[in-house]
Structure formats: C-alpha cells, structure tokens
Amino acid sequence: MGMFLGETIMKVLRPEISLSFDLNKSDKDVLFLNSLADVRDMDMESTKTEIIKVPAEQVESSKKVIRGGNTSFGVVETVEISDSDFKPLLTPGSEHMPTQRKTLYLRDCIKNLGSENPDLIEIALHALPSIIAKSDRHDLEDVFETLSQRLLAAQNTFDVDDFELYIQECILAIGIRLPKLIAKKLNEWLTGDDRALMARIAALRYIAIIVSTGMNRTSSSSAVSTAKGKLAEEKTQFINTLPEFFFPLIDSFIFLNSLYESHQTAHHLLIDSFLKTATIILKSSENSIACINMARELLSTVLKITYDDQDTSSRQSLLTSVNIVFAIVPTVLVEDEFGVDALTASVLYLENAACVENDEATRVRVMELANRLQRICA
C-alpha cells in the first residue's frame, strides 16, 4: 500500500515526474485502490466532500476512510462544507482563546481607582478589602497615604452600584490593619478646609465603624487556641489605639461646632454624628487605661453644647453621652475622678434640659440622671 500511495501522491504533486513501482495490477486490492484514486476525476476546487459507505469487509481490509467518486463498492453521499464547520485554532493572542483572570495586587487596585473605566474601578473596590487583609503590613504602610487619599476623595462619577458601601469596606479593612494611621487620616480629613458636610459625616461614620468592628471581632475557630490567643492580642493592641481616634476628635469640636451655624439642619446633623462617634469610642474603651481621661474630656465637651438649641436627635445623643460617661466609671470613683465642680455643673445642665424638654419620657430620663448625680455629690 505504501508504494501505491507514493505513486498516487507524485501524480498529484509532481505529474511531470514519473514514479513507478512493480505492482501487480491485477491484485484485487490494487484494483480497488486505483478505483478510488483516479486523479483525473478529482476536482481540487470543489467545496464538497464525497463520503462512500462501503461493506464492512472492505473497510476492514483497507483500514482507511474511503473518499472519492462513484464506485461499485458503495453508495456515495455528498456533504456540504461551510466556513462555520471549521473551528479556529486556539493560539495565544487569538480572540477565540479563553482569557485567564489576571491576579490583582495592591498597587494594581490603587492604579485602577484612578482609571476612567468604571469596570476597572468596580473590580478594584471589590477586591481591595481581601487584598488589604492579606497584604504585608510594611507594604500596606508604604501605600497607605495614596490609597487612603484616593478612597476618601473618590466620587461616584460612573454611578457604580453600592459605591459608598465599597469605599466603606475598603476603609474599614485599612482601619483594622493600620488603626493609628487611619485614625490620624480620618481626623485630618474631618477638619479639612472646604470639605463638604457629607464628607465630614462620612469620616465620623468610618471612625465609628472601625472602632466598633475592631472591638467586636471574634475568632472563627473556637477549637484553635492559638487563633484565640492571637485575636486577644490583636484586640488589646486595638484598644490601645482608641485614644488616637478619640482625643483628636474631641480637639476638633470647637471647629466643627462653628460650622453651618446659619444652617441649623446641617449643624445639628454634624453635632449629632460627632456625639455618637465620640460616645462609641468611649464605650469601647471601658476598663482601658485611658477610659477615665476620655470620659472627663467628653463630659467637658458635652457641657459646652447648648441643649435648647439642638433638635430631637442631637438632644438624645447628648443625654446618651452623659449617661455613658457616668456609667463606665464606678460610682465610688465618680466624685474623685470628676470633682465636685464638674458634677454640680452636670446636674445644673440636666435640670435645665428637663425644663426645656417637651417630651415627657425624655424629661423623666433627664431627671433620673440628675438625681443620681445629686446623690453622689451629697
């Protein structure tokens, strides 16, 4: 069969060169193959391929797929071939080549945050929290300023879904890893010039969420004691950073209280957010070394806020702050830690609040707290 194929191929490719082997022309296999390979009947330009169905014994003897024209060995079927029947060869760079997801790194995400492509921005925001959680601490510190600035200044220009939530999750991830740095950054952002009201309120919200999450983390594996030990150590370290959030925030009160004085709704909203954030930090610091100093500072700040001028929400926040201040300090230490003058001023403040308060339930709450402080002073 090999000699026959050689003669046939040369007839097609190089007809001017004669290649002849000493074949037995009367052999039935040679006769059969000759009937299939009549090159004079082959149309090389045709887009049709003819497939012959042959008896099984002939297929077994030839061991090949039979293609060609009409023969006495079978019935010819014609199959139409079109371009769509051919599959492209998949090569690197081909548009048909399946794409592999590119691994994102911290600096890739930072770069994408400044992109004009909304898809890249969304991918970066979605990936950042987990990347931040796994990043090397020193590497994260190196890019902290650029990353935090881009997140805080980011605007939802392309109407990305859940944009504010993505930003919040990213800042929270940074806050858990680098609490001291984010505390400084957020307090600076809060008091920055020409900052919009909602940007300041967002900074206060980020502080509150970081502190709450940092204090409420629990181990996902109750069976692994090392995980518990590591978590306890991280929590202790986080508690020690609470003054970094609290004292700069208290120092910013005079500035914040001077904002939006001609726009009461905006002013009340800002003061309400300030009080809630400061109170959350104080409550989270309970039993820490800085707790009592923080309580004194918050009480001093609260007494500077005129109760009558506040709306309902701000008044509730004021009363909650006073209540938390005296709740986290043991009763036997209240007079020693705050002093008689501070306690007397607090009682007068509460009595005045009760006089101007229209809500009966709130008035009762105020008087109960005032009476409690009077008993301590007595």
Side-chain angles (χ1 to χ4, degrees), residues 177-241:
R177 294 295 311 280
L178 304 174
K180 286 188 176 182
L181 291 180
I182 202 66
K184 180 181 179 182
K185 183 67 178 180
L186 289 174
N187 276 296
E188 289 175 350
W189 185 265
L190 176 64
T191 56
D193 295 333
D194 300 323
R195 201 76 73 211
L197 170 65
M198 298 313 295
R200 299 186 198 277
I201 291 176
L204 290 168
R205 184 176 71 253
Y206 296 151
I207 291 174
I209 292 173
I210 290 169
V211 170
S212 299
T213 304
M215 293 301 299
N216 293 322
R217 284 182 298 165
T218 56
S219 176
S220 59
S221 175
S222 58
V224 183
S225 59
T226 55
K228 286 185 175 180
K230 182 179 180 181
L231 184 66
E233 182 182 353
E234 290 177 352
K235 192 170 183 178
T236 300
Q237 293 174 351
F238 189 86
I239 291 175
N240 293 335
T241 67

Side-chain angles (χ1 to χ4, degrees), residues 128-137 140 177:
L128 265 173
S130 60
I131 292 176
I132 291 169
K134 299 173 184 176
S135 292
D136 177 76
R137 184 182 182 86
L140 192 57
R177 294 295 311 280

Side-chain angles (χ1 to χ4, degrees), residues 104-347:
L104 283 176
Y105 297 97
L106 187 58
R107 286 172 175 78
D108 294 327
C109 291
I110 295 174
K111 180 181 178 181
N112 288 348
L113 287 177
S115 171
E116 293 296 322
N117 185 333
D119 291 335
L120 290 179
I121 295 173
E122 186 169 2
I123 290 171
L125 289 174
H126 188 268
L128 265 173
S130 60
I131 292 176
I132 291 169
K134 299 173 184 176
S135 292
D136 177 76
R137 184 182 182 86
H138 296 296
D139 195 28
L140 192 57
E141 289 173 347
D142 288 342
V143 300
F144 170 81
E145 186 59 35
T146 302
L147 176 58
S148 60
Q149 184 68 26
R150 288 198 175 181
L151 289 170
L152 289 170
Q155 299 292 323
N156 194 10
T157 307
F158 302 102
D159 294 325
V160 176
D161 291 339
D162 298 322
F163 181 81
E164 289 76 14
L165 182 60
Y166 280 136
I167 295 292
Q168 179 176 292
E169 290 298 312
C170 292
I171 293 176
L172 172 59
I174 298 174
I176 297 301
R177 294 295 311 280
L178 304 174
K180 286 188 176 182
L181 291 180
I182 202 66
K184 180 181 179 182
K185 183 67 178 180
L186 289 174
N187 276 296
E188 289 175 350
W189 185 265
L190 176 64
T191 56
D193 295 333
D194 300 323
R195 201 76 73 211
L197 170 65
M198 298 313 295
R200 299 186 198 277
I201 291 176
L204 290 168
R205 184 176 71 253
Y206 296 151
I207 291 174
I209 292 173
I210 290 169
V211 170
S212 299
T213 304
M215 293 301 299
N216 293 322
R217 284 182 298 165
T218 56
S219 176
S220 59
S221 175
S222 58
V224 183
S225 59
T226 55
K228 286 185 175 180
K230 182 179 180 181
L231 184 66
E233 182 182 353
E234 290 177 352
K235 192 170 183 178
T236 300
Q237 293 174 351
F238 189 86
I239 291 175
N240 293 335
T241 67
L242 293 180
E244 307 286 341
F245 289 95
F246 184 83
F247 290 112
L249 177 61
I250 293 297
D251 291 342
S252 71
F253 172 74
I254 295 177
F255 170 75
L256 296 176
N257 196 40
S258 67
L259 298 175
Y260 316 113
E261 289 181 317
S262 59
H263 302 281
Q264 286 193 348
T265 301
H267 183 76
H268 292 158
L269 187 58
L270 184 60
I271 295 304
D272 185 37
S273 297
F274 168 86
L275 288 169
K276 287 176 178 175
T277 301
T279 304
I280 287 172
I281 303 173
L282 175 61
K283 178 60 178 174
S284 299
S285 71
E286 190 172 5
N287 298 323
S288 70
I289 296 175
C291 174
I292 293 178
N293 285 336
M294 293 165 68
R296 281 197 291 258
E297 289 295 326
L298 181 56
L299 179 63
S300 175
T301 301
V302 166
L303 296 179
K304 295 173 185 176
I305 301 174
T306 305
Y307 187 88
D308 326 22
D309 295 340
Q310 305 308 310
D311 63 2
T312 301
S313 182
S314 297
R315 288 181 178 185
Q316 293 297 323
S317 295
L318 278 168
L319 296 177
T320 300
S321 296
V322 174
N323 193 42
I324 293 297
V325 163
F326 291 110
I328 65 173
V329 179
T331 303
V332 295
L333 298 177
V334 168
E335 185 174 357
D336 291 338
E337 294 297 342
F338 291 98
V340 175
D341 291 343
L343 290 176
T344 302
S346 299
V347 171

Side-chain angles (χ1 to χ4, degrees), residues 15-55:
E16 70 279 7
I17 299 177
S18 176
L19 182 62
S20 178
F21 296 98
D22 187 14
L23 298 174
N24 183 357
K25 303 298 183 180
S26 62
D27 184 83
K28 68 174 183 178
D29 287 335
V30 174
L31 289 172
F32 171 66
L33 292 173
N34 270 323
S35 70
L36 301 179
D38 189 352
V39 296
R40 291 173 299 178
D41 295 332
M42 295 176 65
D43 183 358
M44 304 302 292
E45 302 298 324
S46 174
T47 59
K48 294 182 178 181
T49 300
E50 296 177 331
I51 304 175
I52 299 175
K53 292 182 178 178
V54 299

